[in-house]
C-alpha cells in the first residue's frame, strides 16, 4: 500500500525502492525514489491527470483533447496530445511501461504505479467491510487514514471542464466518507469532540442535510439542545430561500426527537463485556448437503478450488468464493469440494443457505444466520445473545483454535457475510454467489462459467444414460448447444427425456430450437432456467433492469460500449458502468475487454421481458442504435473510401458518441469487429420497418463486403436494399441499390440477374439525372456483357461509362472502368488496346496517389503483355503485382497473378520456384474464391500443366473450369476450357467435339484464332 500524508499541506513522497506514485487528491504530483517528478506544462498535466482519473481504462485521443483544452482545441490538438504523451514518457521513469498505447488511445498501467485515489478507494472499502462485520472502531480508524490522504481540492490548479467535472465527483466521495466517519464516531459514543469539525464542513456545504443532522446529534448529545434546534432553524431557512423546499424527513425526525428528548437519539450504551467461548460438542457437527452421485466435469475448477482451500490464512480464516450465473453449478461444486476437504476440518462442517436468490424468500439476515450456525455447534438458545454484535462475538470466540469448514451458499452481498466470518486462522469459509462480492476482502475468487462441449456430453450421459446419448451423438451435441452448456438446463432437459422414454434427443432439440419457447421447455417441476434467471434480474435496481431489457434489442454479436450507449441513450461511460454491473451478476459475459455478450439462454430471457408495455421505449432505443450504426459506417466509409460520392441519407447524424475512426487502420478494425452486428442491424431495420436505415446501412456495408470478397453476404444484403428502396419509393436509393446488386451478381457468377439489376439501375439513374450512378451501372453492364461473351455490347457500355466519368471528373471510377475495359480487350484478343487501357488506369492511380490500388491495373497490363508475347515486361509487372498483393490483394485476384506468373516463368525457361506459383494459385482458389476467378485460374494452370506434359492434371483442371464456366455462362472461359480439354485428350474421346464447340463459341464472340491465349 502507498504512503499517506502526515499532515495538511504536506506532500506524499515515495521511499527509495518503492513503486512510482502519483497523487491527485490535491495538486497533481509524481514521485519516484523520494524525488518529485517534473511533469511538464499544462497540457502534459491535464493529459496525465485525465489518464490517472480513469487508471487502467483506454482513453481515446479525442477524450484527451477534450480534457486538455478549455474550449475549441486547435487543429493540431491530436498531434499535441501524442507529443505530450511522448514527453511524459521521457519525464517518468520507465514511462513507456506506465503510459501505454492501447488500440485507439492510451491508458495508465495500474500494475506499475500507486495512486492516492486508488488507495483512498481501497481504504474506504476496507472501512465498509469492517463496519459490516461489526468492527466500528477499526472502520473509523481506516476512514481517518483514507481522509488523511487529501492535501486540498482534487487536482487543484490543473483546470479544464473535463477534469473539474471528474474532480467534483471525487470530492463527493470525500464528503460521503466524512459523513460515514462521523456516523461511526457518533455510534462509538463521541459527541462534543465532533462539533468543531462538523461546523466547519457544514459551513462549507450548508445545504447538506446529512452533515447538519450529524451536527445536531453531536450538539444534543453534548447537552447543547438549544444550539441543536437552532441548527435546524438555520437549514430550514436556507432550504426555503435557496431551493423553495422544506428539510427532508430524516432531518425533521432528528429535530422532532430533540424536541421531545427521545431516547432513540441518546448515545450508545457502554460496550458489553467480551463474549465467553462455549465448548463444542464431542461429536463434530456436519450439515453439508449430500454430494451428487452424478457430479461430472469441472475438473479444472475443482482443482483450483482445492488448491486455494489448502492454502492457510495467516491472519484469519481462508476464504474461497465461487461466482457465476444462476444454474452454472456453483453449489454442487462447492459441496463436492467440502466433502473432499472434510477430514482436514475435524471440528465440523457447516452449510448455510443464505437465500440470496431463492424464489419467494428474503435473504437470511446476519442475526438469523449466526443463530443457525451457533445452534448447529450445539450452543443452547439461552446462551445466544439477542443482538448481532453479541452473536458475532460469541461465534468468533467459540471458533478460536478450532478447525471448522463453513459453506455459506447463495450469498447476496458481502455485508451479510462479514459477521459470519471467523476471526482467527484455522477455519475455511466457502462462499457461493451469483455476483462477485468485491467488498469481501481476503477472498480468493473462482468464476464458474458454462461447461465445455465435452463436459456437457458427459453430464447428459451420466443423467440420461450413456446408451441413449451414444445413439444420437449429433442430436446430443445440438441439445447441449441449445441448453447453452448450462448444467441446470442440461439436467432439466435430461430429466424431461427420462420421464418421456419415447422422446428422442432429436425431438427435444427440435422443440428447443424454437427460441420463443426455449425457456418454457427448460422447466421441470420446481426447477426452471427462467425462474433462476428471473431472480438475478429482480435483484437488480430499476436502472439495471431497464438496461438489461433494452440491451436485448441488440441484434446479435458482441456489444461494445458505443453501441450500448446508443441503445440505452447514455454516454459510453454510463453504459460501461451498467454493463459492468450486469457482468458482476453474470447476466452478460465478456469475451474480451470492452466487448460484452449475452449467453443464449439469458438473451432469450431478456427478450421475453419485451412486450406491449415496453414497445414505445423499445422502438426509440432501436432507432437510436440504427442511427448510431449508420453514422459510424458513414464516417468509416469516408475514411476508407474517400473517392466515393457523398449521398444524403435523409437521416440526421446520431448524437451518440462514435468510436475513434480517424485513420484507415482504426476504421478497418472497427468495420471488421462490428461486421456481424452491422449485418444483423440491417435485418433488424428491415424487420421493424426502418427501410431507409436498411438501404443506407447496406450501401455502406457493401463497400466493406466487396473489399473483403464476402460476395454471398453482399448479394443477400443487396437484395434486401433493393426491396426496401422499392417500398420507400425512393428512386435515388433504388438506383444505387440496383447498381450495387449488379456488382454482387457479377462477382457471384449470376450474370443474368446482375444484368437485369444493372440495367434497371441505369434506367432509374437516367430518369433522375444521377450521372454517377448511371456511369457505375454502365460499367457493371459492360462487365457482365463481357462475361457473357457479348463483347461489342460490353464495349459500348464501357466507353459510355468512361466518357461520363471524365466529364464528372471522377478519376478513381474511371481507373476502375479502364481495368474492366482492358480485361474485355484481352479476352477479345485485342492486346494492344488492352495494354493501352491498363496503362491509362495505372497512370490515373499514380496521379491519385493510390499506389495500393494499382494491383488490378498492373495485373491487366501484365496479361496484355503476355498476349503480345512480351514476356520479360510481363514478368517485371507481375513481380510488382506480387509485391502489392502481399498487403492489398483479394485471394482470387492474387491467385490469378500467381497463375499467370507461373505461366510466364515457364515461357521464359525459368525453374519452378518454391513455393510453386501454380500450386499456390490453386490452393487459393479452392478456398471459397469467386467462380469467375476460379474458372480463369484453373484454365491458366491447366494450360501450363499441359505444356509441362501433365495431361491428366490438365484435363481435370479444364474439366472443372468448364463446369464452373457453363454454370455461370462465362463464355470465354467456357471456350478456353473446351480447348484445354481437347488438347489434354489428344485424339481420344470427345476431343474433336470439344474443339468444335470451342470454335463455335470463339466465332460467336469474335475472337480470332491467332489472338487467343
Amino acid at each position: 500500500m502507498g504512503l499517506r500524508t502526515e499532515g495538511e499541506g504536506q506532500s506524499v513522497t515515495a521511499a527509495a525502492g518503492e513503486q512510482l506514485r502519483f497523487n491527485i487528491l490535491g495538486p497533481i504530483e509524481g514521485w519516484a525514489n523520494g524525488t518529485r517528478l517534473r511533469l511538464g506544462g499544462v497540457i502534459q498535466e491535464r493529459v496525465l491527470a485525465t489518464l490517472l482519473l480513469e487508471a487502467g481504462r483506454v482513453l481515446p485521443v479525442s477524450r484527451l483533447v477534450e480534457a486538455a483544452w478549455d474550449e475549441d482545441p486547435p487543429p493540431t490538438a491530436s498531434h499535441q496530445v501524442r507529443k505530450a504523451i511522448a514527453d511524459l514518457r521521457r519525464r517518468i521513469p520507465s514511462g513507456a511501461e506506465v503510459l501505454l498505447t492501447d488500440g485507439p488511445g492510451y491508458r495508465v498501467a495500474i500494475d506499475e504505479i500507486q495512486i492516492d485515489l486508488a488507495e483512498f478507494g481501497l481504504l474506504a472499502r476496507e472501512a465498509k467491510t469492517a463496519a459490516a462485520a461489526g468492527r466500528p472502531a477499526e472502520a473509523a480508524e481506516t476512514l481517518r487514514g483514507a481522509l488523511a490522504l487529501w492535501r486540498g481540492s482534487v487536482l487543484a490548479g490543473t483546470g479544464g471542464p473535463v477534469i473539474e467535472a471528474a474532480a467534483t465527483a471525487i470530492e463527493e466521495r470525500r464528503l460521503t466518507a466524512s459523513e460515514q466517519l462521523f456516523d461511526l464516531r457518533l455510534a462509538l459514543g463521541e459527541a462534543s469532540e465532533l462539533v468543531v469539525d462538523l461546523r466547519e464542513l457544514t459551513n462549507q456545504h450548508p445545504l447538506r442535510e446529512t452533515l447538519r443532522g450529524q451536527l445536531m446529534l453531536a450538539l444534543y448529545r453534548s447537552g447543547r439542545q438549544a444550539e441543536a434546534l437552532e441548527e435546524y432553524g438555520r437549514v430550514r431557512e436556507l432550504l426555503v430561500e435557496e431551493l423553495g423546499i422544506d428539510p427532508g424527513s430524516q432531518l425533521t425526525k432528528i429535530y422532532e426527537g430533540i424536541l421531545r428528548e427521545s431516547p432513540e437519539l441518546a448515545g450508545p450504551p457502554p460496550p458489553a463485556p467480551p463474549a465467553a467461548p462455549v465448548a463444542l460438542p464431542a461429536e463434530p457437527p456436519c450439515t453439508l448437503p449430500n454430494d451428487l452421485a452424478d457430479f461430472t466435469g469441472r475438473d479444472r475448477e475443482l482443482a483450483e478450488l482445492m488448491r486455494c482451500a489448502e492454502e492457510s490464512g495467516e491472519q484469519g480464516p481462508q476464504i474461497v468464493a465461487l461466482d457465476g450465473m444462476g444454474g452454472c453449478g456453483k453449489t454442487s461444486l462447492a459441496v463436492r469440494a467440502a466433502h473432499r476437504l472434510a477430514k482436514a476440518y475435524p471440528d465440523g462442517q457447516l452449510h448455510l443457505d443464505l437465500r440470496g436468490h431463492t424464489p419467494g424468500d428474503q435473504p437470511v439476515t446476519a442475526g438469523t444466520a449466526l443463530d443457525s450456525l451457533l445452534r448447529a455447534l450445539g450452543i443452547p438458545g439461552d446462551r445466544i445473545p439477542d443482538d448481532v454484535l453479541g452473536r458475532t462475538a460469541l461465534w468468533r470466540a467459540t471458533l478460536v483454535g478450532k478447525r471448522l469448514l463453513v459453506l455459506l451458499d447463495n450469498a447476496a452481498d458481502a455485508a451479510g457475510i462479514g459477521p459470519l466470518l471467523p476471526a482467527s486462522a484455522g477455519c475455511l469459509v466457502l462462499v457461493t454467489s451469483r455476483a462477485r462480492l468485491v467488498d469481501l476482502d481476503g477472498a480468493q475468487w473462482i468464476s464458474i462459467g458454462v461447461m465445455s462441449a465435452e463436459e456437457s456430453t458427459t453430464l447428459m450421459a451420466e443423467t440420461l444414460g450413456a446408451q441413449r446419448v451414444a445413439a444420437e451423438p449429433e442430436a446430443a451435441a445440438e441439445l447441449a448447444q441449445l441448453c447453452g452448456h448450462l448444467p441446470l438446463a442440461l439436467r432439466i432437459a435430461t430429466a424431461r427425456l427420462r420421464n418421456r422414454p419415447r422422446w428422442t434427443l432429436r425431438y427435444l432439440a427440435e422443440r428447443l430450437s424454437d427460441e420463443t419457447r426455449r425457456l418454457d421447455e427448460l422447466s421441470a417441476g420446481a426447477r426452471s432456467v427462467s425462474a433462476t434467471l428471473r431472480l438475478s434480474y429482480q435483484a437488480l435496481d430499476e436502472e439495471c433492469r431497464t438496461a438489461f431489457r433494452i440491451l436485448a434489442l441488440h441484434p446479435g454479436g458482441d456489444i461494445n460500449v458505443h453501441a450500448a450507449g446508443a441503445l440505452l441513450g447514455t454516454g459510453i461511460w454510463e453504459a460501461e458502468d451498467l454493463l459492468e454491473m450486469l457482468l458482476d451478476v453474470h447476466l452478460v459475459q465478456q469475451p474480451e475487454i470492452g466487448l460484452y455478450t449475452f449467453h443464449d439462454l439469458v438473451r432469450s430471457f431478456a427478450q421475453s421481458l419485451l412486450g406491449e408495455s415496453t414497445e414505445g421505449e423499445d422502438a426509440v432505443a432501436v432507432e437510436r442504435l440504427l442511427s448510431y450504426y449508420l453514422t459510424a459506417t458513414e464516417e468509416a466509409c469516408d475514411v476508407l473510401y474517400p473517392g466515393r460520392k457523398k449521398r444524403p441519407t435523409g437521416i440526421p447524424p446520431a448524437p451518440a458518441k462514435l468510436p475513434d475512426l480517424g485513420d484507415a487502420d482504426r476504421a478497418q478494425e472497427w468495420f471488421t469487429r462490428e461486421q456481424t452486428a452491422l449485418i444483423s442491424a440491417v435485418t433488424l431495420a428491415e424487420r421493424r420497418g426502418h427501410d431507409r436505415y436498411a438501404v443506407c446501412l447496406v450501401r455502406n456495408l457493401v463497400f466493406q463486403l466487396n473489399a473483403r470478397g464476402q460476395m454471398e453476404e453482399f448479394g443477400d444484403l443487396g437484395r434486401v436494399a433493393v426491396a426496401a428502396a422499392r417500398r420507400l419509393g425512393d428512386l435515388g436509393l433504388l438506383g444505387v441499390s440496383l447498381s450495387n446488386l449488379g456488382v454482387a451478381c457479377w462477382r457471384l457468377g449470376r450474370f443474368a440477374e446482375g444484368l437485369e439489376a444493372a440495367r434497371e439501375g441505369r434506367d432509374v439513374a437516367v430518369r433522375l439525372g444521377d450521372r454517377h450512378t448511371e456511369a457505375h451501372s454502365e460499367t457493371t453492364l459492360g462487365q457482365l456483357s463481357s462475361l457473357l461473351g457479348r463483347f461489342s455490347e460490353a464495349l459500348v457500355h464501357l466507353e459510355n461509362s468512361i466518357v461520363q466519368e471524365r466529364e464528372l471528373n471522377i478519376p478513381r471510377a474511371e481507373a476502375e472502368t479502364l481495368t474492366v475495359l482492358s480485361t474485355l480487350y484481352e479476352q477479345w484478343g485485342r492486346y494492344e488496346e488492352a495494354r493501352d487501357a491498363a496503362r491509362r488506369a495505372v497512370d490515373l492511380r499514380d496521379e491519385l496517389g493510390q499506389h495500393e490500388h494499382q494491383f488490378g491495373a498492373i495485373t491487366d497490363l501484365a496479361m496484355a503483355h503476355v498476349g503480345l508475347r512480351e514476356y520479360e515486361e510481363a514478368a517485371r509487372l507481375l513481380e510488382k503485382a506480387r509485391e502489392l498483393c502481399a498487403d492489398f490483394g483479394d485471394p482470387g485476384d492474387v491467385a490469378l497473378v500467381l497463375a499467370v506468373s507461373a505461366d510466364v516463368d515457364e515461357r521464359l525457361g525459368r525453374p519452378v520456384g518454391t513455393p510453386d506459383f501454380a500450386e499456390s494459385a490453386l490452393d487459393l482458389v479452392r478456398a471459397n474464391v469467386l467462380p469467375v476467378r476460379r474458372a480463369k485460374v484453373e484454365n491458366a494452370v491447366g494450360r501450363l500443366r499441359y505444356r509441362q506434359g501433365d495431361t491428366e492434371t490438365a484435363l481435370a483442371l479444364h474439366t472443372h473450369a468448364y463446369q464452373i464456366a457453363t454454370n455461370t455462362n462465362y463464355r470465354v472461359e467456357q471456350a478456353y476450357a473446351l480447348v484445354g480439354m481437347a488438347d489434354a485428350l489428344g485424339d481420344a474421346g470427345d476431343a474433336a467435339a470439344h474443339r468444335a464447340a470451342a470454335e463455335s463459341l470463339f466465332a460467336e464472340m469474335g475472337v480470332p484464332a491467332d489472338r487467343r491465349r
Side-chain angles (χ1 to χ4, degrees):
M1 184 176 294
L3 304 176
R4 306 175 190 170
T5 53
E6 296 177 2
E8 188 65 22
Q10 289 181 302
S11 296
V12 180
T13 58
E18 291 243 343
Q19 279 188 307
L20 186 67
R21 180 180 178 90
F22 292 97
N23 300 317
I24 60 177
L25 301 180
I28 188 169
E29 296 179 344
W31 294 86
N33 298 328
T35 302
R36 184 167 178 176
L37 304 175
R38 300 175 68 87
L39 298 175
V42 173
I43 299 302
Q44 285 91 333
E45 286 196 350
R46 289 185 178 182
V47 167
L48 178 59
T50 307
L51 289 166
L52 291 171
L53 284 168
E54 302 191 56
R57 283 184 172 175
V58 178
L59 299 188
V61 172
S62 57
R63 180 163 175 79
L64 297 176
V65 167
E66 187 182 356
W69 279 270
D70 294 345
E71 296 178 354
D72 294 335
T76 60
S78 295
H79 178 64
Q80 289 190 49
V81 164
R82 293 187 173 95
K83 282 184 65 178
I85 292 287
D87 184 45
L88 285 165
R89 284 171 173 165
R90 286 191 295 271
R91 294 171 178 271
I92 297 169
S94 303
E97 298 173 14
V98 174
L99 299 179
L100 305 179
T101 303
D102 194 337
Y106 300 97
R107 66 178 172 87
V108 167
I110 55 177
D111 293 338
E112 299 294 328
I113 61 172
Q114 296 172 336
I115 307 175
D116 58 356
L117 176 60
E119 184 178 353
F120 172 78
L122 175 64
L123 291 172
R125 289 193 296 274
E126 288 178 1
K128 182 178 178 182
T129 301
R135 305 193 298 275
E138 178 187 333
E141 187 59 34
T142 305
L143 273 179
R144 279 193 188 93
L147 290 166
L149 293 169
W150 248 264
R151 297 168 292 110
S153 299
V154 174
L155 294 168
T158 306
V162 172
I163 291 173
E164 287 172 5
T168 301
I170 297 171
E171 288 287 352
E172 178 64 27
R173 291 171 61 187
R174 178 188 189 181
L175 269 179
T176 301
S178 298
E179 290 170 345
Q180 291 168 349
L181 177 57
F182 286 128
D183 271 341
L184 287 165
R185 294 176 70 184
L186 284 166
L188 289 166
E190 295 184 58
S192 59
E193 53 265 69
L194 304 180
V195 171
V196 173
D197 290 340
L198 277 166
R199 277 202 193 282
E200 183 181 349
L201 264 184
T202 303
N203 289 336
Q204 294 171 13
H205 306 279
L207 298 178
R208 202 163 180 104
E209 294 188 35
T210 301
L211 285 172
R212 189 77 65 165
Q214 291 170 331
L215 175 57
M216 290 168 64
L217 275 176
L219 288 166
Y220 175 67
R221 292 178 183 177
S222 303
R224 299 155 71 176
Q225 181 178 8
E227 291 180 63
L229 294 173
E230 285 175 6
E231 289 296 330
Y232 181 79
R234 288 194 190 98
V235 75
R236 181 171 58 187
E237 288 177 10
L238 269 172
L239 288 169
V240 170
E241 183 180 335
E242 298 284 336
L243 305 175
I245 60 173
D246 289 322
S249 59
Q250 190 64 33
L251 194 60
T252 303
K253 185 178 178 182
I254 294 173
Y255 168 70
E256 292 171 349
I258 292 172
L259 280 175
R260 63 173 186 270
E261 298 185 1
S262 171
E264 293 178 5
L265 300 184
V278 178
L280 294 183
E283 183 67 29
C286 179
T287 61
L288 295 176
N290 290 331
D291 192 9
L292 287 177
D294 54 12
F295 182 93
T296 57
R298 302 298 192 193
D299 293 338
R300 181 183 58 80
E301 293 91 341
L302 182 59
E304 177 70 5
L305 198 163
M306 297 294 286
R307 184 190 65 77
C308 292
E310 287 164 2
E311 295 177 359
S312 60
E314 295 178 4
Q315 302 296 326
Q318 183 70 2
I319 306 171
V320 184
L322 309 180
D323 67 293
M325 68 182 290
C328 71
K330 301 179 295 295
T331 298
S332 298
L333 178 59
V335 169
R336 167 60 57 106
H339 278 284
R340 290 195 175 184
L341 292 162
K343 289 182 180 179
Y345 296 91
D347 294 315
Q349 308 89 38
L350 302 184
H351 168 266
L352 184 63
D353 184 356
L354 296 175
R355 300 183 178 275
H357 299 90
T358 300
D361 278 353
Q362 292 296 315
V364 175
T365 64
T368 302
L370 285 164
D371 183 78
S372 299
L373 290 169
L374 289 166
R375 289 177 186 275
L377 290 178
I379 296 174
D382 59 1
R383 297 286 306 277
I384 298 176
D386 293 331
D387 62 302
V388 174
L389 289 177
R391 291 178 181 182
T392 301
L394 178 59
W395 166 250
R396 289 174 175 163
T398 302
L399 296 184
V400 171
K402 303 295 190 293
R403 289 188 61 78
L404 189 78
L405 185 153
V406 184
L407 171 50
L408 301 175
D409 194 14
N410 201 5
D413 54 46
I417 293 175
L420 314 184
L421 298 176
S424 53
C427 293
L428 171 66
V429 180
L430 303 179
V431 179
T432 73
S433 175
R434 294 195 182 182
R436 177 163 288 199
L437 310 178
V438 293
D439 293 334
L440 186 58
D441 292 332
Q444 298 193 64
W445 283 94
I446 302 171
S447 287
I448 309 301
V450 296
M451 291 183 127
S452 67
E454 184 180 352
E455 287 176 327
S456 298
T457 303
T458 304
L459 177 58
M460 286 194 292
E462 285 286 340
T463 54
L464 181 59
Q467 223 172 3
R468 287 183 72 179
V469 173
E472 298 181 79
E474 291 181 4
E478 184 179 347
L479 189 59
Q481 180 70 34
L482 290 166
C483 288
H485 301 289
L486 188 68
L488 174 62
L490 289 164
R491 286 184 177 275
I492 291 172
T494 54
R496 296 195 71 189
L497 287 167
R498 283 200 310 272
N499 293 335
R500 295 165 176 79
R502 293 185 181 278
W503 281 19
T504 62
L505 276 72
R506 169 60 56 199
Y507 177 71
L508 181 56
E510 288 171 355
R511 290 175 68 102
L512 290 176
S513 63
D514 181 352
E515 191 171 350
T516 61
R517 289 184 42 80
R518 189 175 302 162
L519 290 175
D520 294 332
E521 293 287 344
L522 292 174
S523 177
R527 292 193 297 180
S528 162
V529 172
S530 180
T532 298
L533 295 174
R534 187 171 296 279
L535 289 165
S536 294
Y537 169 73
Q538 289 172 339
L540 301 172
D541 62 27
E542 186 61 34
E543 186 181 21
C544 283
R545 284 200 294 267
T546 301
F548 176 69
R549 188 196 76 240
I550 290 176
L551 287 168
L553 294 165
H554 191 272
D558 296 331
I559 308 172
N560 63 31
V561 293
H562 291 90
L567 253 181
L568 299 173
T570 69
I572 60 172
W573 306 119
E574 294 88 344
E576 183 180 49
D577 287 342
L578 288 165
L579 284 162
E580 287 292 322
M581 290 179 199
L582 295 174
L583 180 66
D584 286 342
V585 295
H586 295 276
L587 284 175
V588 296
Q589 300 169 333
Q590 190 172 54
E592 59 180 273
I593 293 175
L595 297 179
Y596 303 82
T597 190
F598 282 106
H599 182 280
D600 289 345
L601 295 179
V602 177
R603 180 186 292 278
S604 295
F605 171 73
Q607 290 175 341
S608 75
L609 302 170
L610 306 172
E612 290 184 10
S613 62
T614 66
E615 192 171 333
E617 188 178 7
D618 296 345
V620 172
V622 166
E623 188 157 6
R624 282 197 303 261
L625 179 69
L626 295 175
S627 177
Y628 158 73
Y629 276 139
L630 179 58
T631 305
T633 54
E634 286 280 336
E635 185 167 314
C637 284
D638 288 345
V639 173
L640 291 170
Y641 312 107
R644 75 170 191 155
K645 178 177 168 54
K646 293 285 288 183
R647 293 182 179 275
T649 62
I651 299 170
K657 185 173 179 60
L658 300 182
D660 184 359
L661 304 170
D663 58 46
D665 288 342
R666 291 174 188 172
Q668 186 61 64
E669 180 186 358
W670 180 83
F671 245 136
T672 301
R673 188 176 62 245
E674 293 291 301
Q675 183 173 301
T676 300
L678 290 169
I679 291 173
S680 299
V682 173
T683 304
L684 176 66
E686 182 189 28
R687 189 171 69 243
R688 287 186 168 259
H690 292 294
D691 286 331
R692 188 168 295 277
Y693 280 109
V695 176
C696 296
L697 272 172
V698 169
R699 177 180 181 248
N700 293 341
L701 260 173
V702 296
F703 277 89
Q704 174 75 358
L705 295 172
N706 188 36
R708 291 171 64 88
Q710 294 176 267
M711 291 301 111
E712 289 293 343
E713 293 88 345
F714 186 175
D716 291 342
L717 290 183
R719 295 182 191 91
V720 168
V722 168
R726 288 194 199 283
R727 288 193 296 270
L728 281 172
D730 188 317
L731 289 179
L733 291 178
L734 178 60
V736 172
S737 301
L738 286 164
S739 180
N740 286 331
L741 179 58
V743 173
C745 291
W746 152 56
R747 301 202 69 185
L748 286 166
R750 297 168 187 161
F751 304 148
E753 181 186 357
L755 267 178
E756 184 180 344
R759 192 174 288 120
E760 184 184 357
R762 180 201 56 191
D763 294 346
V764 167
V766 169
R767 285 171 58 190
L768 291 171
D770 181 355
R771 297 190 67 199
H772 283 83
T773 301
E774 181 185 352
H776 184 271
S777 297
E778 287 283 12
T779 298
T780 306
L781 285 167
Q783 181 110 44
L784 291 165
S785 298
S786 170
L787 294 165
L788 289 167
R790 304 171 189 171
F791 293 163
S792 297
E793 288 180 32
L795 182 59
V796 171
H797 289 304
L798 293 173
E799 287 178 337
N800 286 342
S801 178
I802 290 169
V803 167
Q804 293 188 65
E805 286 160 349
R806 286 176 182 166
E807 290 174 355
L808 292 167
N809 191 28
I810 43 177
R812 175 179 171 276
E814 183 187 345
E816 291 174 356
T817 305
L818 283 165
T819 62
V820 178
L821 180 62
S822 177
T823 300
L824 166 65
Y825 281 136
E826 190 277 334
Q827 292 176 147
W828 212 342
R830 295 164 65 169
Y831 299 122
E832 293 83 1
E833 290 157 296
R835 176 196 60 205
D836 295 344
R839 185 170 291 149
R840 172 63 180 152
V842 171
D843 292 343
L844 279 174
R845 294 293 191 192
D846 272 338
E847 291 169 17
L848 291 168
Q850 296 179 328
H851 306 295
E852 68 273 15
H853 295 298
Q854 286 185 340
F855 175 73
I858 290 173
T859 304
D860 286 326
L861 185 54
M863 292 188 68
H865 282 290
V866 171
L868 292 167
R869 308 296 189 261
E870 296 169 353
Y871 299 123
E872 290 288 354
E873 179 61 12
R876 185 188 67 79
L877 290 165
L878 288 166
E879 183 178 3
K880 186 174 181 181
R882 291 196 300 275
E883 291 172 2
L884 287 172
C885 76
D887 296 317
F888 304 105
D890 170 85
D893 295 337
V894 173
L896 180 61
V897 167
L898 293 175
V900 178
S901 296
D903 176 74
V904 169
D905 283 352
E906 191 271 344
R907 292 180 187 278
L908 290 171
R910 296 176 179 175
V912 175
T914 304
D916 180 353
F917 287 149
E919 287 304 313
S920 296
L922 292 175
D923 289 340
L924 281 173
V925 296
R926 291 183 189 116
N928 194 30
V929 163
L930 303 176
V932 291
R933 189 59 78 227
R934 182 165 186 174
K936 193 165 188 172
V937 167
E938 289 183 340
N939 271 335
V941 177
R943 287 190 293 273
L944 172 63
R945 293 292 181 249
Y946 173 73
R947 292 201 309 272
Q948 292 171 334
D950 187 354
T951 55
E952 184 178 348
T953 299
L955 180 60
L957 288 168
H958 287 304
T959 301
H960 191 254
Y962 177 74
Q963 292 169 353
I964 295 172
T966 302
N967 290 338
T968 57
N969 213 13
Y970 189 1
R971 303 301 291 280
V972 72
E973 292 304 327
Q974 190 179 359
Y976 279 121
L978 286 165
V979 170
M981 291 160 64
D983 288 344
L985 287 169
D987 296 329
D990 298 324
H994 292 333
R995 204 173 300 280
E999 284 303 320
S1000 175
L1001 286 169
F1002 281 130
E1004 186 181 329
M1005 292 181 286
V1007 181
D1010 62 341
R1011 305 289 280 182
R1012 299 175 192 169
R1013 298 172 193 156

